[in-house]
Amino acid sequence: MHTVVLLVGIVAVVVVVAAACSKLDLPSPLVLIVVGVAGSYLPFVPDVTLEPEVVLFGLLPPLLYAAALQTSLVDFNANRRPILLLSVGLVILTTFGVGAVVHALLPGVGWAAALAIGAVVAPPDAVAATSIGRRIGLPRRVVTILEGESLLNDATALVALNTAIAAIVSWKVVGADFAIAAFGGVAVGLVFYVVIGFARKHVTETTLDTALGLLTPFAAFVAAEELGVPTSADHVAHPSGVVAVVVAGLLLGHRSPVLQNAQSRIAERLNWRSIQFLLESAVFLLIGLQARDIISNAFSTESSTTRILVLCVATLVSVVVIRMAWVFFSRYALVRPGPDGSGKVPPWTYTFLLGWAGMRGVVTLAAAFIIPPETPYRDVLLLIAFFVTAGTLLLQGASLPWVARRLRVPSPDPAADALLRANVLHQASQTGLARLDELAGDDPHDVAATIRDRVRRRDFAAWERVGPQGAENPSETYNRWRREMIDVERGRVLEVRSTGTVPHEVIDEVLAMLDVEESMLDHSSAEREHVRGATAHAFEGDCDHLRQVRPPVEPDSPGECTDCQREGTTWVHLRMCVLCGHIACCDSSPQRHASVHHEHTGHEVMRSAEPGEDWRWCFVDQVTG
């Protein structure tokens, strides 16, 4: 009962603090750390100790699996060089660098134990960095690299830690341990991807598919850790469960559109988002709650207070300096060639942000408890891990928004994203309509016309998000009116439910249909608010018509569509022909005069005639530029 009360209290504090941080626009990981440290000194708060088994078997697999499912394998592959340099190269460098500092400042600790604490503090935790980064709008590539790094650096660090612990016993098994852990973990992850992928192709029930997803990270982790390969007469090496979970999650997430049905994907996305939020938040609170015990145990050892403080500060400075030096040293290796093959070096501001976002997290603190109890100065090593974790979170995490603002790093452009979204959706629609033409040979009920109308309205809604956000456009009017209809529809359904004349299964199904439609409207409204006020700029489309250099032309009727005025209709957005300067209304407008102008004249390209927008559209190739 005592444990249940503690868990309920932790969840309650997490929810309250997260809600307050959302209202006050504060980073919840940092606030939870501070709340935990303060709570550890309250007399009525019980002592909390993060057992390594609980973290490594209960928390780490679902957290890594949830992150892997949400990571784009395409983006991961596009940024594989910086990700590998950080998650493997930097972790190994930090392990040896910190190990050398600890060995020099704490005589008698031994090289194996010093390298073990180096491996413990080596992996940054991207949870805090990415949560802060998305809130303040860090560049998308920086966030992608941080997320990719976090998937692999935990594995590298834990493999290095286990290897160092094995070295405490014997240095002869180091190489074999590392190889078996790394390559064995990849092999186990691939096996689970194949097995779970095969099972999902035959499981169409959403509940069963969800249960299979919840089982996967724990099963992959345990299977890898339970496999053993003897490397000496008295030592057995194991594949890395962390590597297995990451590999399985990356591949299953990438293949989910093929392996799962739509309902299963929606359920899995929502479930793992909730699980990830609760576990991540609880972990930061638990880190703070251990402060009192770790500090008191460390200062009760035979080492002097001054030596301990110097050691903690030196280790913190080392991990920050080593990371910053490594990212700048590797800057030319972090280049991802652009579309033109120029391979320009990213701005130094990106590199600095990448180096400064090196906050440590739960893996560092949990891994420290894996160090054997008989290790000399173990309590001091635990304090080092806690000091580095709390220090990087509070020092770098709290200052990251200020640093990003001072460096004037551009955040992702929501208007450009909206333009790309509309373009991709339009291309998908054209492919779908072409298939519809093949299917609709015999269509006595004119079903094809209904489908075409719905597809076009969906495309119009996407394009309307790109335009200026002044007067209410048709999609916003539809959204507002349909919301009010759903409210009264739901009210009527609830009235019917109260009569008890209709089975509750039928009522629940109707309410679920209304909920799905309302959630789509909510998502559309949120996207419009995100784009509102931004300026739309486009990439250069892969189209010869868009790439042709034409002399500038003047608009024939600035700020108005003369065709709409003549016919007594209203336009939504305006477009201008780049050849003759004719102003016409967009396809979301009732009369679609821009398309009519293309059909009559054969002019291929029109551009947006709205203030602040800089993009063009090719009617022939159906692309933006």
Side-chain angles (χ1 to χ4, degrees):
M1 191 63 183
H2 174 77
T3 303
V4 173
V5 172
L6 179 62
L7 291 176
V8 170
I10 289 174
V11 173
V13 171
V14 163
V15 172
V16 171
V17 171
C21 290
S22 178
K23 291 288 185 182
L24 300 174
D25 195 25
L26 296 173
S28 58
L30 308 185
V31 177
L32 285 167
I33 287 274
V34 174
V35 170
V37 172
S40 69
Y41 286 92
L42 297 177
F44 56 84
V45 176
D47 295 338
V48 176
T49 301
L50 267 179
E51 297 294 338
E53 292 81 8
V54 173
V55 175
L56 295 180
F57 290 93
L59 297 179
L60 198 56
L63 282 175
L64 289 174
Y65 186 73
L69 287 177
Q70 299 172 33
T71 300
S72 167
L73 190 61
V74 175
D75 290 345
F76 186 94
N77 183 58
N79 294 282
R80 61 185 179 276
R81 281 185 291 177
I83 289 174
L84 291 175
L85 282 168
L86 293 172
S87 61
V88 179
L90 179 57
V91 168
I92 294 175
L93 178 64
T94 305
T95 298
F96 283 95
V98 171
V101 171
V102 172
H103 185 268
L105 296 179
L106 196 63
V109 71
W111 272 109
L115 292 176
I117 193 60
V120 164
V121 300
D125 183 359
V127 171
T130 54
S131 64
I132 296 171
R134 288 196 178 95
R135 184 175 61 87
I136 65 176
L138 285 183
R140 186 168 286 125
R141 191 186 178 206
V142 173
V143 175
T144 298
I145 293 174
L146 289 173
E147 288 177 336
E149 177 192 8
S150 71
L151 288 177
L152 295 182
N153 63 10
D154 292 339
T156 306
L158 290 173
V159 169
L161 173 61
N162 289 328
T163 304
I165 292 174
I168 296 177
V169 180
S170 172
W171 285 92
K172 297 179 181 179
V173 298
V174 169
D177 262 40
F178 195 92
I180 292 172
F183 294 106
V186 172
V188 173
L190 289 173
V191 169
F192 267 84
Y193 158 67
V194 173
V195 172
I196 301 299
F198 176 80
R200 277 185 161 165
K201 285 187 175 181
H202 298 82
V203 174
T204 57
E205 177 65 35
T206 302
T207 305
L208 293 177
D209 186 89
T210 301
L212 192 63
L214 294 174
L215 172 69
T216 300
F218 300 102
F221 190 91
V222 172
E225 295 292 335
E226 287 298 315
L227 292 175
V229 179
T231 56
S232 66
D234 55 351
H235 183 73
V236 177
H238 300 273
S240 171
V242 174
V243 175
V245 171
V246 169
V247 170
L250 276 173
L251 294 175
L252 288 172
H254 182 69
R255 295 282 294 170
S256 64
V258 177
L259 300 176
Q260 296 173 280
N261 58 42
Q263 287 186 338
S264 296
R265 288 195 298 273
I266 293 172
E268 182 173 61
R269 191 180 303 117
L270 292 175
N271 288 333
W272 281 112
R273 188 179 300 170
S274 301
I275 292 171
Q276 189 176 22
F277 162 73
L278 284 176
L279 291 183
E280 288 174 351
S281 302
V283 159
F284 286 112
L285 182 62
L286 289 170
I287 288 175
L289 288 174
Q290 296 180 101
R292 184 182 62 183
D293 284 347
I294 292 177
I295 293 173
S296 60
N297 290 339
F299 284 106
S300 63
T301 61
E302 59 186 19
S303 299
S304 66
T305 301
T306 302
R307 182 183 294 274
I308 293 176
L309 292 176
V310 169
L311 184 60
C312 289
V313 173
T315 306
L316 174 60
V317 172
S318 297
V319 298
V320 173
V321 171
I322 290 174
R323 180 180 179 87
M324 196 65 72
W326 176 258
V327 295
F328 272 98
F329 176 79
S330 307
R331 190 178 174 200
Y332 286 92
L334 300 180
V335 177
R336 182 181 62 188
D340 58 353
S342 59
K344 294 180 180 179
V345 178
W348 72 268
T349 52
Y350 283 42
T351 308
F352 188 91
L353 274 180
L354 201 60
W356 192 248
M359 290 84 84
R360 270 56 179 176
V362 61
V363 174
T364 291
L365 202 55
F369 285 94
I370 302 177
I371 298 175
E374 64 273 9
T375 304
Y377 302 102
R378 182 176 183 268
D379 290 329
V380 176
L381 299 180
L382 292 180
L383 179 61
I384 291 174
F386 176 82
F387 189 86
V388 170
T389 300
T392 53
L393 282 170
L394 297 177
L395 173 65
Q396 295 177 302
S399 62
L400 189 60
W402 178 84
V403 170
R405 288 194 301 269
R406 293 290 296 176
L407 295 178
R408 302 181 185 274
V409 176
S411 59
D413 183 1
D417 288 349
L419 183 61
L420 290 171
R421 186 186 304 113
N423 187 35
V424 171
L425 187 61
H426 184 90
Q427 293 182 41
S429 299
Q430 296 304 307
T431 305
L433 291 173
R435 177 58 177 162
L436 179 64
D437 291 337
E438 299 173 2
L439 297 173
D442 183 17
D443 187 16
H445 303 292
D446 204 15
V447 175
T450 302
I451 295 177
R452 286 191 180 93
D453 181 66
R454 291 182 179 178
V455 170
R456 290 193 180 101
R457 290 184 180 277
R458 182 190 65 181
D459 288 357
F460 294 164
W463 283 108
E464 286 165 11
R465 295 180 195 173
V466 180
Q469 308 296 324
E472 188 175 64
N473 60 45
S475 294
E476 292 172 334
T477 303
Y478 170 85
N479 193 301
R480 179 168 56 85
W481 287 359
R482 186 63 190 127
R483 277 169 172 271
E484 295 186 13
M485 289 176 61
I486 289 175
D487 287 341
V488 297
E489 289 172 2
R490 184 181 290 110
R492 179 55 183 158
V493 173
L494 294 178
E495 290 177 6
V496 174
R497 184 182 66 177
S498 64
T499 64
T501 58
V502 179
H504 76 88
E505 291 87 355
V506 176
I507 295 293
D508 290 345
E509 184 177 352
V510 174
L511 289 174
M513 292 169 63
L514 295 176
D515 289 342
V516 169
E517 186 175 0
E518 187 177 19
S519 68
M520 294 171 64
L521 296 175
D522 290 340
H523 177 74
S524 179
S525 295
E527 286 295 327
R528 275 195 295 271
E529 288 299 322
H530 186 57
V531 176
R532 190 177 296 276
T535 301
H537 299 273
F539 61 92
E540 182 179 354
D542 186 16
C543 168
D544 292 336
H545 302 103
L546 292 173
R547 289 176 177 169
Q548 289 179 12
V549 179
R550 297 181 173 92
V553 296
E554 294 296 326
D556 60 3
S557 56
E560 60 185 21
C561 175
T562 55
D563 296 323
C564 284
Q565 287 187 335
R566 183 177 59 254
E567 298 172 10
T569 56
T570 303
W571 62 83
V572 177
H573 299 145
L574 296 176
R575 308 291 181 245
M576 185 186 81
C577 178
V578 299
L579 284 177
C580 65
H582 179 65
I583 298 292
C585 59
C586 67
D587 280 357
S588 296
S589 305
Q591 301 303 318
R592 306 175 61 191
H593 289 123
S595 293
V596 172
H597 177 76
H598 162 66
E599 293 168 0
H600 288 170
T601 64
H603 295 171
E604 309 96 345
V605 179
M606 297 196 81
R607 59 159 294 169
S608 173
E610 300 292 346
E613 293 191 6
D614 180 22
W615 60 273
R616 296 167 294 153
W617 173 256
C618 176
F619 285 99
V620 177
D621 298 303
Q622 302 284 301
V623 293
T624 52

